[in-house]
Amino acid sequence: MLQDITTGNAKKDGQEFRFWFVGQIEDWCKANNIPLDSGRFGLRNTSGIEIKWGIYRKDEARKAWAPRSDKTAMSILIRGDFTFEFREADDNAKCREVRLTNQGDYVIWGEDVEHTWKMEEDSEILTIRWTLKE
């Protein structure tokens, strides 16, 4: 059906939710005191996947470790130079650095991994999170 088409701009649509523009929008609205407008959010409101269009500036860094989650995640470099650091949640001594430098470079990490990041130059990155169903 034609009403089942949602269009928009990832940069603009993600502004309300820290660059996340597809995902659990109903929950994000509740958490941020934003009225849920089903017409405006359309098919972007889903529990099956979360998508973020991240825009970062040179020397920007995540100072705290992002905790493990119940989802698998993948980040794809659109442009820039983006360095991730990963560590095992149960053994913080085990770390691995991954640097994305070429358009299309990506990294995928699982549920038991914590991460942080830093920008070597202005960067844009697409991040997707999903729950694996076995």
Side-chain angles (χ1 to χ4, degrees), residues 31-76:
N32 292 285
N33 257 349
I34 297 171
L36 177 65
D37 179 347
S38 297
R40 180 167 74 97
F41 295 120
L43 296 174
R44 293 174 41 216
N45 185 26
T46 179
S47 61
I49 192 167
E50 297 173 348
I51 305 174
K52 178 180 188 175
W53 187 278
I55 304 165
Y56 304 95
R57 299 288 166 236
K58 181 180 179 178
D59 298 325
E60 189 175 344
R62 181 181 178 103
K63 296 181 182 4
W65 288 91
R68 62 180 160 186
S69 74
D70 63 345
K71 295 178 176 56
T72 298
M74 174 173 61
S75 288
I76 306 166

Side-chain angles (χ1 to χ4, degrees), residues 13 17 20-31 34 36-37 41-47:
D13 292 344
F17 308 112
W20 292 99
F21 68 98
V22 172
Q24 300 177 48
I25 292 179
E26 185 172 354
D27 293 342
W28 301 342
C29 283
K30 288 177 188 173
I34 297 171
L36 177 65
D37 179 347
F41 295 120
L43 296 174
R44 293 174 41 216
N45 185 26
T46 179
S47 61

Side-chain angles (χ1 to χ4, degrees), residues 8-22:
N9 179 280
K11 289 180 185 181
K12 180 182 171 203
D13 292 344
Q15 291 176 353
E16 292 172 296
F17 308 112
R18 294 182 7 250
F19 301 119
W20 292 99
F21 68 98
V22 172

Side-chain angles (χ1 to χ4, degrees), residues 89-113:
D90 297 331
D91 185 355
N92 291 170
K94 292 184 180 176
C95 293
R96 179 175 173 192
E97 186 175 283
V98 175
R99 189 168 179 183
L100 309 179
T101 58
N102 297 303
Q103 186 177 47
D105 285 353
Y106 68 89
V107 60
I108 302 172
W109 64 98
E111 301 168 352
D112 290 331
V113 178

